[in-house]
Amino acid sequence: MKWLKWLFLLIFGCCMFGFFAILGINFYVIHETKEQIVTLEEIEDISDIEVILVLGCQVRPNQTPSAMLEDRLKTGILLYEHQIAPNMIMSGDHRRDDYNEVKVMKDYAVNREVPSTHIFLDHAGISTYDSIVRAKEVFDTKKLVIVSQRYHLYRALYIAKQMGLEAYGVASDTVTYSNQFYREIREILARNKDFLLSHMKIKPVTSSNKVSFDMGGDITN
């Protein structure tokens, strides 16, 4: 039965290697991007930012943004009002007719006096990875500021870095959200997933024709 002992040690060793590899990648992603997360005052000193990318999040059944999404929208609108960039991209999930994150996001911003023509919709931002890659490939973005909660920005900024984008992040956290501990744990695995995807340069799930900011945002409605 000696072989069972060696088999157990081998399995245990592989599990421990995998565990520490996952943690190592997680901390590497955070370390590589933490300096790119800036405040409103700091982002005002950075010129020639083309667009504010607001990453989507859950929309309630009554067609209003969830607490996390509303904070992202408020931060993105604040950046627009401070003229950090002339345009916004609302990127989220619109795979079903009865669920449209980006329309809710745009309506929220328009109701707060952001011109509709300055708001572009990415209906196929079904994941963080797709949102970032499509900002480059569909909207031809080279320099942008990304808006999301801090824990989420590390991953988004790492993807952008691997895609050759000059990206900065502004965190939209205003409170401690419910189930945040669960999100933090899940994010460790998500950082590992997108670490691999961004190094493999996987194409987004959905391809689209290029959109120029000169066309005006309503063309993407």
Side-chain angles (χ1 to χ4, degrees):
M1 302 297 289
K2 189 175 181 180
W3 66 272
L4 283 175
K5 176 182 177 180
W6 286 108
L7 179 62
F8 171 79
L9 290 174
L10 177 63
I11 294 172
F12 178 77
C14 289
C15 290
M16 291 302 295
F17 175 81
F19 175 76
F20 285 110
I22 288 170
L23 288 183
I25 290 173
N26 174 67
F27 287 120
Y28 177 75
V29 169
I30 293 172
H31 178 268
E32 286 294 295
T33 57
K34 61 184 179 180
E35 299 299 326
Q36 294 168 251
I37 300 177
V38 296
T39 64
L40 172 62
E41 291 74 19
E42 290 170 329
I43 200 70
E44 286 183 311
D45 294 330
I46 301 172
S47 60
D48 301 325
I49 294 176
E50 298 167 306
V51 71
I52 301 159
L53 173 63
V54 182
L55 297 177
C57 192
Q58 184 181 14
V59 166
R60 298 187 180 105
N62 65 354
Q63 300 305 300
T64 60
S66 60
M68 292 183 71
L69 180 55
E70 185 169 20
D71 283 345
R72 295 180 190 184
L73 292 166
K74 287 178 177 177
T75 301
I77 292 167
L78 183 63
L79 292 172
Y80 177 83
E81 291 172 344
H82 280 73
Q83 300 180 349
I84 301 304
N87 296 295
M88 303 179 72
I89 296 175
M90 305 299 191
S91 183
D93 189 352
H94 182 199
R95 284 174 289 183
R96 307 194 319 262
D97 291 339
D98 62 344
Y99 185 79
N100 189 343
E101 286 181 0
V102 291
K103 182 181 186 302
V104 171
M105 293 165 75
K106 180 164 185 173
D107 288 347
Y108 185 96
V110 169
N111 289 336
R112 284 150 185 82
E113 301 184 350
V114 178
S116 177
T117 55
H118 292 186
I119 304 172
F120 293 77
L121 301 186
D122 179 8
H123 298 264
I126 61 177
S127 70
T128 304
Y129 181 82
D130 283 34
S131 292
I132 303 300
V133 176
R134 286 173 58 82
K136 176 183 179 181
E137 295 190 353
V138 176
F139 295 92
D140 200 26
T141 305
K142 298 178 178 63
K143 188 174 183 179
L144 72 162
V145 56
I146 304 170
V147 177
S148 189
Q149 279 68 32
R150 179 175 290 271
Y151 81 97
H152 186 207
L153 282 176
Y154 300 113
R155 173 161 56 110
L157 290 166
Y158 189 83
I159 297 166
K161 186 175 183 179
Q162 296 309 309
M163 295 301 121
L165 298 173
E166 183 178 347
Y168 303 89
V170 174
S172 59
D173 311 66
T174 62
V175 296
T176 300
Y177 305 97
S178 60
N179 300 318
Q180 187 57 31
F181 177 75
Y182 167 73
R183 290 191 187 90
E184 297 280 357
I185 296 301
R186 186 179 63 179
E187 187 67 11
I188 293 173
L189 297 177
R191 288 177 191 140
N192 276 259
K193 171 183 69 72
D194 284 344
F195 173 88
L196 295 174
L197 291 179
S198 60
H199 282 276
M200 295 168 68
K201 301 294 189 294
I202 300 297
K203 290 291 184 182
V205 172
T206 303
S207 60
S208 304
N209 295 327
K210 283 187 176 293
V211 175
S212 168
F213 293 128
D214 295 332
M215 296 177 178
D218 290 338
I219 196 172
T220 62
N221 287 350

